[in-house]
Amino acid sequence: MMMGKRRRCVFLMCVALVVTCALNDNVVLAGVTIVCDRTFVVGRNSTCGYAGVTSAGAEIRFLDEDTKRVVASTAIDVTNTNDEEILELELGVPSSLETGREYELAMYDGTARTYAAKTKVKVVSNESARESVASAKTLVQVETDKPVYAPGQKIKIRALVADIENAALIKQKDGATTCVIEVKDSMERTIFKKSDASLDVFGVATVEVAIEKEQPPFGWWTVKAEVEVDDGVKISIEGGFNVEEYVLPSFDVTLDASSMPLYALSSKSENVFTGRVQSSYTYGKHVEGKTKIIFKRPTSWSSNYNYVDGGGFGNDVPLMEPAFGASEEWDGSGGSSSSSSLQTSDILYESSWLTLYGGSATFVASISKSILEQSWSQNLEACAMVEESTTKEIRNSTILVIPIIREAFAHQTFRSYQSPAFKPGLPMKHTIQLSSDIPGAFNGTGNLGTLDFTLSINKMNSYSYYGDSNAQTISAQVSSSGALEIEFDAPANDLSCCASYEDETNYNYVYGSSSQKCCLQGANVQLVKNAASRDFVRKILAPAGDDMSTTELDALVPYLSVYFSRDTSSAKAPVESVVINAQCTSAETCEFTLASSKSNVAFAYAVVDAEGLGRGVLESGTFSLSSTENEKTVAMTYSNIASTSSTHVSVAIWSVSGSVYSETYLAGTTSDVFLVPGTSVSLERETEMAFPYDITMSTNVSETNVVSTGTDIKFTIGGAPNGARSYILAIDEAVVIQSGGNTSALDATTFLSNVYGSRTNTLHANSETWPCDTTYNENDIKLDRVTIISTYEIANYCNPSSLDNGGVGIGIPEVAFAMDDVASSAPVQENMIKSGTDTDVSSSSSAVRTLFPETWLWETSDSGSFEATAPDSITTWSITAFTSHPTQGISIMKNASEIIVFREFFISPKVPYSITRGETVEIVLTVFNYLKDEDLSVTITAEDVTTNAAVQIGDSKTLTVSKNSADSVTFDVSPTVLGSIKLRFSASGTTTSTDSESKEYRDAVEKSIVVNPEGVFKTTTVSKVFRRSAEDASETFTLNAFPNGVSAKAIKDTYSSFITVVGDIMGPSIQNINKFVQIPMGCGEQNLLLLAPNVYVAEYLNSANKLTSALKTELSNNIIMGYSRELTYFHPSGGVSAFGPQSDKSASLWLPAFCSKGFASAK
């Protein structure tokens, strides 16, 4: 069950060391330029590009950041230096460098015997780099035999370790023989850990874990599988399941909303919802009873503000049963709640009770605009409840989340605070990705039409927009995914009043003076509400928007504006440039297009690996714009930039010569990160992923797959190659219902999605580095593309040497563990279950049914064929399988198979999970008669078959059950002993017709019930700490939980005890160390409270030799960040306060003491 996804971050940047010098050639180079990777991997060479290096003895050196000592160096070959060519060298990174820390990378001038420029770079372990590759090549998956467990049950776990060879072959991991499997309870305590779980030759490990019977922690438990590959690199996955006390449901409730819009429109006078409620037993027969429909505000406060998935069924948030009380609590009146009731109730609409016919009922719900306006939430929740007629059992459907649409679409951005750059005289291009809470709004095919925008240019020293009277209109085509491109040519500055950097920054002028400056400061692009926007809204609402008025449609068109902002520091550059496009149009053609504000300029470029693997520069070169050119497209060599280990690259470009060259300034730009297709790891579409072969499952039973209890069934796995091993799982459909629709089986779609995610190494093209991304304007040289350290000024520059992390975090999706819904077959139809099947389901056998497993099959088969006997549960079994072959790979069944176990006459006692000793409980027993033509007279008895006869039960009962119907009786049960008791219920039914010979039908069922003691459960803990010395390796001591004797109120036969021995007093805390390690933030007090645990955790783990390099880096980063932040709250007096001298008149008394202690420990 996939519960979530985790991302691993790799920090990377490129570094360019720039030094200027004068050359005697006709072309004047902009100095010495060396481009390397920001991240270096110990023991691995990294490619650097360089140009203009003529100094003999020139070297690239790694310097110790503290001592400035040279720890490594690589000589630069200057013999073949060409002024117009970028050369490359292999920079050696010795294994002696300490990983997880920063060094200074310096360019040493051998002639001047000094360092021309320096910058900080990060050195990571080979393990970290290998981990990036390993995560893209190794997939770990886990399945359990169920998604929910009760106390005392066993958890069965399979871990699958796969190796992704390519898009067509996913196979078991070669060389992996063991894995680690760990189970933690809801309190995050390790319950089970096997460090050497054996992987078979097919890549699968299997373990079992028992849950304690008495008082286990209820809630979400986690299971983690981890495998070590490639010399210490560890790939893991974590997911979970619920532990709770439960009784399996006998029927399910489905709210079918396929015929209604899965959203509410705030602008409509009335929203009408039409749908159907369907209810069926787990074996496919329809439920008789009644239903009620509820539309309400979200069940939790958080869901008022956080909408996750538009219009989907919230399978992981089922309502507790019963959600709204029994039927007699309702007044039976339908309609919308009044405004007065809204003040005391979350219910917005409540239907009357509707009778189920054939297990279904149709409803029409109406919610007025006035009612909707009183809901502050972003969503509505719809739920159906069904009351079964025989047992009066009430069950609810899963919640249908219905978004309230107040705006039909919005501007989706990950950098809402950052404005795209405005550069006068250059073509501007900005991608807008639209998002919508309307389900499926941007999931179609073909374009969705156009949207119109007005373009206004903002001019210095003017509060009005230049050209407002003749504002330009921009039309942008919206793709099926909701993406559109804003493109326009920015006008150039008027050189008569804006010709320099000083002009762009000089706001001082006399009103009306002829010296008034006119520099352009930005451009505003704003969406227009017109016929085009209304048509666009209609398309994404179709067909719901067809009958909406112009006013209603306009109300759903959002205010959408993008401001292109001028960063005046860019004006210092002698030439400005933008990358219009950088892409690979095929597996052979890659190119980028640069537009320049000036002609007759030479540029250098370097294509840099953007996967954080330390490969550095992949290709470099130079190109020139002639005196008549302001734009050029440059081809990149596909074979140079393609790789088997990375798929994303970026291009750094800077001016190196020409008529506009300035020896005091460096000008450049960077492209977005883009995908290089066609490599063994790059996939443009998830649909490219497929299993090497497809498997199916068949049985020897009828096409309806309906059998009687005790039937022997032969299963055959088809499609797998000879020599493959099959792993089979069959779960009771009632367990899936109990878990809210989740299943624990491996799912083919989810598996392939995880494979696709691990292979694409998806990067967001506009990721940024904190804190360098906090500027309002978009950087010319983006820090997730290239970092330039220079002795000369650079536009929009944030010095990465001031950063602790040194780079941008680029997310590489890790395998996510999921127990997603298994793709099910078509719903069971009523006519599928009939006596005319190949298997006799009349079953008049008197055998007692005792076998009610929640997981029927947890099997392996090397032949692809196996046999099993249908258990005694009257239910539907969902059967899944996956196969593994040593050389031909892994495959998972794409659709679950089903086996329905059924009898025409049977009984179903509804027993509770547990009873308290001494209390009397009423047990409802339902008799089902699915005979088509015969009414039955049925006699039911109940008896205690526990060895010590510990239960008092009422007398036998008799009733008449009509054909194709059900009826119920009740028995009073009063247990007298503790533990588990077993009750047997027997029924004998005879036909009542006088036209033919009487027939007899029998059924008997045994059920167990847990009997708990009366009173309140209490626990007493006694601890002892002792230290073993070298001389005395043992110590004898007594632990007495009741030193004053057992209380007289204690209940006899309820005592139990256990002993836990921990070798490290801090051991339990270490298991949850992530709870202590947090990034310091907030005011002076909050910052210290988060800083201190980082300090003391580092101190303890270091002394215990348990501080890993990864955790050391994280702790160090947190401590430095917290230290730097705390300094901002210091007063000139040396004291510190919660909000600093700007807000607090004086320093705090106790905060400096706390601060001093924390700083001293962190030193």
Side-chain angles (χ1 to χ4, degrees):
M1 177 166 58
M2 181 171 292
M3 305 308 303
K5 283 187 181 182
R6 289 188 312 185
R7 290 187 179 271
R8 180 178 293 110
C9 291
V10 179
F11 293 99
L12 68 121
M13 281 181 150
C14 299
V15 176
L17 298 154
V18 182
V19 183
T20 64
C21 64
L23 301 176
N24 295 324
D25 294 318
N26 294 328
V27 178
V28 180
L29 283 182
V32 175
T33 305
I34 302 174
V35 181
C36 298
D37 206 326
R38 173 70 178 169
T39 300
F40 293 88
V41 180
V42 295
R44 180 181 298 178
N45 290 345
S46 180
T47 303
C48 296
Y50 67 97
V53 182
T54 59
S55 172
E59 295 179 344
I60 297 180
R61 294 180 174 181
F62 284 96
L63 307 179
D64 187 281
E65 186 181 4
D66 299 322
T67 65
K68 309 304 179 186
R69 180 177 59 87
V70 178
V71 294
S73 64
T74 300
I76 302 176
D77 183 3
V78 299
T79 57
N80 295 318
T81 300
N82 186 311
D83 296 338
E84 297 181 354
E85 184 179 2
I86 302 294
L87 301 180
E88 295 181 357
L89 63 81
E90 292 293 317
L91 179 61
V93 187
S95 302
S96 59
L97 295 187
E98 184 180 349
T99 61
R101 58 162 295 184
E102 289 183 337
Y103 288 87
E104 287 187 350
L105 185 70
M107 187 277 177
Y108 178 73
D109 188 327
T111 301
R113 297 185 179 274
T114 186
Y115 291 108
K118 298 178 182 178
T119 184
K120 287 185 179 180
V121 294
K122 173 156 286 190
V123 175
V124 300
S125 65
N126 199 19
E127 175 182 339
S128 299
R130 288 198 312 270
E131 190 173 354
S132 299
V133 178
S135 64
K137 296 191 65 175
T138 305
L139 192 66
V140 181
Q141 292 280 275
V142 172
E143 74 172 359
T144 56
D145 64 321
K146 295 193 302 172
V148 60
Y149 296 86
Q153 293 182 342
K154 285 186 177 180
I155 310 161
K156 297 179 180 179
I157 304 169
R158 287 190 187 120
L160 170 64
V161 180
D163 194 20
I164 309 167
E165 293 292 332
N166 51 58
L169 181 57
I170 309 162
K171 58 187 290 291
Q172 87 287 348
K173 183 70 178 178
D174 291 333
T177 58
T178 62
C179 68
V180 179
I181 299 178
E182 182 179 18
V183 177
K184 291 186 178 182
D185 63 20
S186 59
M187 300 175 67
E188 298 192 14
R189 302 177 302 184
T190 298
I191 302 301
F192 170 89
K193 184 173 184 179
K194 188 172 180 62
S195 300
D196 57 349
S198 178
L199 290 166
D200 59 27
V201 295
F202 304 96
V204 179
T206 305
V207 299
E208 291 187 4
V209 182
I211 302 174
E212 60 180 298
K213 291 184 178 181
E214 297 182 4
Q215 302 295 321
F218 295 134
W220 185 252
W221 290 36
T222 59
V223 56
K224 177 181 178 181
E226 183 179 79
V227 64
E228 183 175 307
V229 296
D230 298 337
D231 300 328
V233 176
K234 296 179 180 179
I235 306 298
S236 64
I237 189 174
E238 185 176 293
F241 48 84
N242 272 312
V243 174
E244 58 190 58
E245 293 180 345
Y246 61 88
V247 175
L248 288 179
S250 58
F251 64 92
D252 190 20
V253 181
T254 301
L255 183 57
D256 180 7
S258 58
S259 60
M260 73 179 193
L262 297 182
Y263 49 83
L265 299 174
S266 63
S267 65
K268 292 190 72 171
S269 59
E270 189 174 45
N271 282 271
V272 178
F273 301 93
T274 302
R276 177 178 295 274
V277 179
Q278 295 178 318
S279 185
S280 59
Y281 294 104
T282 58
Y283 48 86
K285 285 286 188 176
H286 298 319
V287 171
E288 298 300 323
K290 56 185 179 181
T291 182
K292 183 181 284 288
I293 314 302
I294 307 293
F295 284 80
K296 58 188 292 292
R297 293 188 182 93
T299 54
S300 63
W301 178 86
S302 61
S303 55
N304 288 342
Y305 304 94
N306 297 301
Y307 177 68
V308 178
D309 187 13
F313 282 93
N315 286 340
D316 47 356
V317 282
L319 294 179
M320 299 301 292
E321 175 194 353
F324 306 108
S327 59
E328 57 267 19
E329 299 178 23
W330 298 83
D331 59 12
S333 60
S336 296
S337 301
S338 64
S339 58
S340 59
S341 65
L342 277 173
Q343 299 174 7
T344 57
S345 172
D346 284 336
I347 296 176
L348 303 178
Y349 174 90
E350 165 198 334
S351 76
S352 58
W353 283 102
L354 306 173
T355 302
L356 294 173
Y357 295 99
S360 68
T362 300
F363 68 87
V364 178
S366 177
I367 301 179
S368 67
K369 182 178 180 180
S370 60
I371 292 295
L372 207 59
E373 287 175 345
Q374 297 178 50
S375 175
W376 291 96
S377 63
Q378 292 184 346
N379 311 309
L380 299 178
E381 291 181 350
C383 180
M385 58 184 300
V386 167
E387 181 184 281
E388 187 195 30
S389 58
T390 55
T391 63
K392 306 302 180 184
E393 178 184 355
I394 297 176
R395 291 205 62 81
N396 305 302
S397 69
T398 51
I399 292 174
L400 177 65
V401 179
I402 302 174
I404 301 174
I405 306 300
R406 294 182 170 88
E407 292 184 342
F409 55 94
H411 183 185
Q412 174 183 307
T413 176
F414 294 91
R415 301 179 302 159
S416 58
Y417 56 84
Q418 196 168 55
S419 172
F422 177 78
K423 296 186 177 183
L426 288 174
M428 297 289 96
K429 182 177 180 180
H430 180 69
T431 301
I432 295 179
Q433 176 62 54
L434 300 180
S435 63
S436 178
D437 286 338
I438 299 172
F442 301 124
N443 294 336
T445 58
N447 291 328
L448 294 172
T450 60
L451 290 174
D452 294 333
F453 298 82
T454 57
L455 169 65
S456 300
I457 306 299
N458 191 11
K459 185 174 62 174
M460 176 184 281
N461 293 324
S462 174
Y463 293 98
S464 62
Y465 288 107
Y466 173 80
D468 271 356
S469 59
N470 298 296
Q472 180 182 345
T473 299
I474 301 173
S475 294
Q477 190 78 34
V478 185
S479 70
S480 60
S481 63
L484 59 96
E485 298 283 351
I486 298 292
E487 296 183 74
F488 64 94
D489 290 329
N493 277 316
D494 184 350
L495 298 182
S496 66
C497 53
C498 184
S500 65
Y501 169 73
E502 289 71 19
D503 289 341
E504 294 212 33
T505 56
N506 181 16
Y507 284 83
N508 297 319
Y509 73 101
V510 178
Y511 182 76
S513 170
S514 60
S515 63
Q516 179 175 339
K517 303 304 178 185
C518 65
C519 299
L520 303 181
Q521 291 190 302
N524 188 64
V525 177
Q526 184 171 325
L527 178 65
V528 180
K529 291 187 179 182
N530 58 9
S533 62
R534 288 191 289 272
D535 289 342
F536 180 76
V537 172
R538 280 196 184 95
K539 284 184 179 180
I540 62 177
L541 287 176
D546 294 346
D547 60 347
M548 294 181 65
S549 67
T550 297
T551 302
E552 290 175 332
L553 290 169
D554 280 344
L556 296 177
V557 178
Y559 174 83
L560 195 156
S561 178
V562 178
Y563 188 72
F564 291 74
S565 180
R566 175 63 167 166
D567 186 353
T568 53
S569 63
S570 297
K572 296 179 181 181
V575 58
E576 294 188 67
S577 58
V578 293
V579 178
I580 298 176
N581 201 7
Q583 62 180 350
C584 290
T585 57
S586 68
E588 297 179 354
T589 305
C590 300
E591 60 188 22
F592 66 86
T593 301
L594 182 85
S596 170
S597 63
K598 303 288 177 63
S599 58
N600 195 25
V601 186
F603 290 91
Y605 74 91
V607 185
V608 186
D609 175 27
E611 298 282 358
L613 304 179
R615 297 197 305 136
V617 174
L618 307 177
E619 179 176 289
S620 59
T622 60
F623 64 94
S624 298
L625 300 178
S626 69
S627 59
T628 59
E629 289 181 315
N630 289 89
E631 184 177 305
K632 176 161 284 189
T633 297
V634 179
M636 296 171 282
T637 306
Y638 174 80
S639 59
N640 289 342
I641 66 175
S643 166
T644 59
S645 59
S646 64
T647 64
H648 291 85
V649 299
S650 179
V651 185
I653 307 164
W654 63 98
S655 62
V656 293
S657 70
S659 59
V660 297
Y661 165 63
S662 168
E663 291 191 4
T664 62
Y665 204 87
L666 183 76
T669 187
T670 46
S671 75
D672 287 339
V673 172
F674 60 94
L675 175 72
V676 181
T679 67
S680 64
V681 293
S682 65
L683 296 169
E684 294 188 78
R685 293 176 299 276
E686 191 168 333
T687 54
E688 295 178 18
M689 289 306 311
F691 293 112
Y693 54 89
D694 292 326
I695 60 172
T696 59
M697 177 178 289
S698 60
T699 65
N700 63 339
V701 299
S702 66
E703 292 182 359
T704 61
N705 283 342
V706 180
V707 300
S708 180
T709 56
T711 302
D712 293 330
I713 306 171
K714 182 177 180 180
F715 296 87
T716 302
I717 306 295
N722 292 333
R725 175 170 291 179
S726 303
Y727 300 82
I728 303 95
L729 170 61
I731 306 176
D732 189 340
E733 189 65 28
V735 177
V736 177
I737 297 172
Q738 177 65 29
S739 67
N742 296 315
T743 180
S744 59
L746 290 184
D747 176 62
T749 302
T750 303
F751 185 90
L752 290 177
S753 178
N754 290 336
V755 172
Y756 173 75
S758 68
R759 297 305 273 177
T760 53
N761 292 344
T762 305
L763 306 175
H764 189 271
N766 290 318
S767 56
E768 293 289 340
T769 303
W770 182 89
C772 280
D773 61 349
T774 55
T775 57
Y776 179 72
N777 300 311
E778 188 177 56
N779 292 338
D780 284 340
I781 300 173
K782 301 181 182 68
L783 292 174
D784 59 348
R785 320 289 191 260
V786 60
T787 297
I788 297 180
I789 309 299
S790 175
T791 56
Y792 302 96
E793 192 173 0
I794 304 171
N796 277 332
Y797 177 64
C798 175
N799 187 354
S801 65
S802 66
L803 296 178
D804 177 66
N805 60 8
V808 61
I810 293 182
I812 296 180
E814 187 176 337
V815 177
F817 170 58
M819 298 177 177
D820 285 345
D821 294 346
V822 173
S824 59
S825 302
V828 177
Q829 301 298 321
E830 182 76 15
N831 60 8
M832 288 179 62
I833 303 177
K834 55 186 179 180
S835 56
T837 58
D838 293 347
T839 302
D840 181 15
V841 294
S842 60
S843 296
S844 60
S845 170
S846 60
V848 180
R849 292 190 288 127
T850 60
L851 183 62
F852 303 100
E854 296 181 10
T855 300
W856 171 23
L857 302 175
W858 180 259
E859 305 291 337
T860 60
S861 172
D862 290 338
S863 64
S865 179
F866 64 98
E867 293 185 358
T869 301
D872 293 329
S873 305
I874 309 297
T875 190
T876 298
W877 293 96
S878 179
I879 309 173
T880 59
F882 70 91
T883 59
S884 179
H885 188 277
T887 59
Q888 298 187 43
I890 295 167
S891 185
I892 302 175
M893 266 178 59
K894 294 182 178 179
N895 296 302
S897 181
E898 288 185 349
I899 291 291
I900 302 172
V901 180
F902 181 70
R903 297 162 65 113
E904 291 184 323
F905 172 78
F906 67 93
I907 58 176
S908 177
K910 194 70 175 180
V911 299
Y913 177 81
S914 62
I915 303 176
T916 300
R917 180 173 59 180
E919 73 173 336
T920 299
V921 176
E922 183 181 75
I923 294 179
V924 179
L925 183 144
T926 305
V927 181
F928 292 92
N929 174 18
Y930 286 108
L931 296 172
K932 288 188 175 181
D933 303 314
E934 300 286 351
D935 298 339
L936 293 178
S937 176
V938 183
T939 300
I940 305 104
T941 60
E943 59 180 317
D944 172 22
V945 292
T946 310
T947 55
N948 53 2
V951 184
Q952 300 174 8
I953 308 178
D955 299 331
S956 62
K957 308 288 179 71
T958 302
L959 75 164
T960 299
V961 184
S962 302
K963 58 187 176 183
N964 277 317
S965 66
D967 206 346
S968 62
V969 296
T970 60
F971 290 92
D972 291 335
V973 175
S974 181
T976 59
V977 298
L978 299 177
S980 179
I981 60 172
K982 187 178 294 183
L983 304 180
R984 178 181 296 167
F985 302 91
S986 303
S988 175
T990 57
T991 56
T992 59
S993 174
T994 58
D995 298 337
S996 59
E997 183 178 351
S998 177
K999 293 182 181 180
E1000 185 176 14
Y1001 298 86
R1002 294 179 179 275
D1003 191 25
V1005 173
E1006 284 187 2
K1007 291 283 187 175
S1008 296
I1009 307 174
V1010 176
V1011 180
N1012 294 323
E1014 59 277 23
V1016 179
F1017 185 82
K1018 288 191 174 183
T1019 301
T1020 301
T1021 302
V1022 181
S1023 301
K1024 167 70 176 178
V1025 178
F1026 67 95
R1027 183 191 299 273
R1028 273 192 328 186
S1029 64
E1031 294 80 14
D1032 184 12
S1034 65
E1035 179 180 343
T1036 301
F1037 57 90
T1038 301
L1039 293 177
N1040 189 351
F1042 303 102
N1044 299 323
V1046 180
S1047 171
K1049 297 181 180 180
I1051 300 173
K1052 186 179 179 182
D1053 300 330
T1054 63
Y1055 313 140
S1056 63
S1057 62
F1058 64 90
I1059 297 175
T1060 300
V1061 179
V1062 180
D1064 182 353
I1065 194 172
M1066 289 289 290
S1069 296
I1070 290 178
Q1071 294 178 1
N1072 304 300
I1073 199 70
N1074 60 305
K1075 300 294 184 182
F1076 297 95
V1077 179
Q1078 300 183 52
I1079 298 175
M1081 62 182 66
C1083 69
E1085 296 174 358
Q1086 296 167 332
N1087 184 66
L1088 273 179
L1089 288 174
L1090 294 172
L1091 169 63
N1094 286 276
V1095 174
Y1096 298 119
V1097 165
E1099 187 177 20
Y1100 168 75
L1101 293 178
N1102 187 53
S1103 62
N1105 293 322
K1106 296 180 179 179
L1107 185 60
T1108 64
S1109 60
L1111 186 55
K1112 179 181 179 181
T1113 300
E1114 183 179 1
L1115 289 167
S1116 298
N1117 290 345
N1118 290 351
I1119 291 171
I1120 293 173
M1121 255 188 284
Y1123 169 77
S1124 302
R1125 186 176 185 85
E1126 196 65 27
L1127 292 180
T1128 64
Y1129 301 113
F1130 269 71
H1131 288 247
S1133 63
V1136 63
S1137 66
F1139 299 100
Q1142 294 84 2
S1143 301
D1144 300 326
K1145 293 182 180 180
S1146 61
S1148 169
L1149 178 63
W1150 62 269
L1151 200 56
F1154 185 17
C1155 188
S1156 299
K1157 183 176 181 180
F1159 284 7
S1161 300
K1163 186 177 179 181

